[in-house]
Amino acid sequence: MKSAFFLTLVAGLASSVVAGSDHVLRRAGRPQATKDFMSYTHPSLALDKVNLQEVPKDLLSAPVSAVSSRQLSAQDFYECRQSSPAPSDSDCNSIINEVFALDTPLIVAPNACLLFQFGTCWGFFCSLCEQLSTDTDFVANQLASTEALCVSGGQSGTIVGTDEPEWEAGFIYQGGDLPTYDVC
């Protein structure tokens, strides 16, 4: 089952890249296959980086996987935004668990995002300035940090890594615009 899930993931990503697709799946509920859970898209809502806050020190010491040998650092920032309605905390936690379960390496093109969908929650991980090599453990850890900082308080939110390679991860309510910050 896990190998079929992985092959579906690879095939889905490859077809998205080849087709240049901005297609966003809108199916809610329990993911039945990777294509129903994850898609490839681009950010569309430009936000001002002046609203970003420093990630709390207690999250910086939490163990996380490396992204190009990098962990959460003091150069990472976050922003929580009011959302009405807000993404469901339990739906966002389902995404975190599913992303951890993927346990696979990822390559994300510049200014491109992986979009994870479950119920009312859309999780995203974007490469902002250059191609980024990472893994699903790193992505899930960043989503978990966003959940703790923002979603658990009834808001949508984003964490932004401003060191090279620049990235962002977070949660929005289903169908919302993906944020992007000019940190390049």
Side-chain angles (χ1 to χ4, degrees), residues 1-22:
M1 176 68 180
K2 205 170 200 177
S3 63
F5 193 65
F6 175 73
L7 290 175
T8 305
L9 168 69
V10 171
L13 286 175
S15 67
S16 292
V17 171
V18 170
S21 173
D22 287 337

Side-chain angles (χ1 to χ4, degrees), residues 36-47:
D36 294 333
F37 171 66
M38 186 173 87
S39 62
Y40 189 78
T41 189
H42 300 281
S44 58
L45 177 66
L47 296 175

Side-chain angles (χ1 to χ4, degrees), residues 20-98:
S21 173
D22 287 337
H23 176 73
V24 177
L25 299 173
R26 298 181 187 258
R27 181 173 170 183
R30 177 106 177 112
Q32 298 300 313
T34 303
K35 68 182 179 93
D36 294 333
F37 171 66
M38 186 173 87
S39 62
Y40 189 78
T41 189
H42 300 281
S44 58
L45 177 66
L47 296 175
D48 193 337
K49 65 183 178 183
V50 300
N51 296 321
L52 294 172
Q53 304 173 44
E54 287 186 29
V55 172
K57 303 293 184 229
D58 59 331
L59 284 180
L60 295 178
S61 60
V64 295
S65 297
V67 54
S68 300
S69 302
R70 186 184 167 292
Q71 294 184 341
L72 250 172
S73 77
Q75 296 302 310
D76 296 337
F77 299 90
Y78 78 100
E79 179 181 12
C80 298
R81 293 174 307 284
Q82 292 298 326
S83 176
S84 183
S88 161
D89 194 30
S90 63
D91 288 351
C92 294
N93 275 303
S94 293
I95 288 175
I96 293 166
N97 293 336
E98 291 288 336

Side-chain angles (χ1 to χ4, degrees), residues 150 154-155 172:
C150 302
Q155 298 178 305
I172 58 172

